[in-house]
Amino acid sequence: MFYKFLRGVLCTLLYIINGRARYVHQADLPDGPYVLVGPHRTWFDPVYFAMAAYPRKFAFMAKEELFQNSIFRWLLKHVNGFPVNRDHPGPSAIKTPVRMLRQGDLSLIMFPSGSRHSSELKGGAAVIAKMAGVPLVPAIYQGPLTFKQLFSRKRVTVAFGAPIVIDRKMKLDEEGQAVIEKQMQAAFDKLDKEIDPNFHYVDVSAEKKAK
């Protein structure tokens, strides 16, 4: 109930600030649960991903430090967030999302690069998707990268790619992971070029630190 309420509030707020977003290939999203994966470009791209894929509800990982604050802990739990130690992720970092996905009510949003400051893809999403028996769905966000830029009214676009199904017999060793990572990156590049052939992502926060 709270998830639906919060989604409505955020959707209205972002519409007032930035206008109507453009969602591409929504009809291609799977009917059942899946792991939505995309490059992490701004702190609010997961919000747009969740709105674009409505009515599907999502769970997501959050660094465990956020759960130390009682207010954040209450909020995160009510929007299906679960804690993960980024430096030393334990078995629960895999088991918790796999259990959620198998139950069928929730999908999962993951950023394979881990943060906005990395372009290196990691294998956790593929492992979770394979164990849960669900596909990976590539997604990309193009638009403002800071809250201030949202007020420029530059239109936000979210696009979804074709699901990537991982064969249960496939070994996710170093070679197997490389195959899946190549598929994900190819899907991200294809979607970016489809929306804007001249698109080039610039990490705004990294630029500020360099100055």
Side-chain angles (χ1 to χ4, degrees):
M1 181 64 74
F2 182 78
Y3 182 100
K4 184 177 181 180
F5 168 76
L6 184 60
R7 180 198 175 278
V9 170
L10 290 174
C11 191
T12 301
L13 179 62
L14 290 172
Y15 176 77
I16 293 172
I17 293 173
N18 186 260
R20 188 179 299 278
R22 177 187 175 212
Y23 302 141
V24 182
H25 304 315
Q26 281 178 304
D28 296 335
L29 288 170
D31 293 329
Y34 51 87
V35 179
L36 188 66
V37 290
H40 199 4
R41 292 172 174 167
T42 176
W43 61 268
F44 45 79
D45 50 13
V47 177
Y48 272 103
F49 284 163
M51 292 196 303
Y54 182 81
R56 170 66 47 183
K57 293 181 181 180
F58 289 89
F60 63 95
M61 297 179 177
K63 58 183 181 180
E64 63 180 6
E65 291 84 356
L66 293 175
F67 286 80
Q68 294 173 2
N69 180 289
S70 58
I71 296 176
F72 277 129
R73 182 170 61 249
W74 181 90
L75 178 62
L76 289 168
K77 286 186 176 180
H78 280 78
V79 293
N80 309 315
F82 57 94
V84 172
N85 185 317
R86 287 185 175 180
D87 297 324
H88 305 285
S92 62
I94 299 294
K95 291 181 179 179
T96 298
V98 167
R99 183 178 67 252
M100 289 178 168
L101 289 165
R102 284 177 175 173
Q103 289 173 346
D105 296 329
L106 298 172
S107 287
L108 178 70
I109 292 177
M110 284 192 71
F111 297 100
S113 62
S115 76
R116 289 172 288 146
H117 317 301
S118 173
S119 59
E120 179 186 354
L121 300 185
K122 301 176 178 66
V127 172
I128 291 170
K130 181 186 176 183
M131 289 182 65
V134 302
L136 295 166
V137 175
I140 62 97
Y141 166 100
Q142 285 190 21
L145 299 177
T146 66
F147 185 70
K148 183 179 179 179
Q149 288 179 0
L150 280 174
F151 289 89
S152 69
R153 307 288 287 187
K154 179 182 178 182
R155 195 177 193 186
V156 168
T157 299
V158 172
F160 301 106
I164 298 171
V165 179
I166 302 175
D167 192 320
R168 284 187 173 275
K169 296 179 181 179
M170 182 179 185
K171 291 184 179 180
L172 289 180
D173 51 15
E174 187 173 342
E175 183 179 349
Q177 290 281 9
V179 170
I180 300 300
E181 289 168 12
K182 187 176 181 179
Q183 286 182 278
M184 286 194 291
Q185 189 59 59
F188 299 154
D189 293 341
K190 181 180 178 180
L191 290 171
D192 273 328
K193 289 179 180 178
E194 179 183 346
I195 295 169
D196 180 1
N198 300 313
F199 175 79
H200 176 68
Y201 171 66
V202 177
D203 187 345
V204 176
S205 56
E207 276 195 339
K208 288 181 179 179
K209 290 180 180 179
K211 291 180 179 179

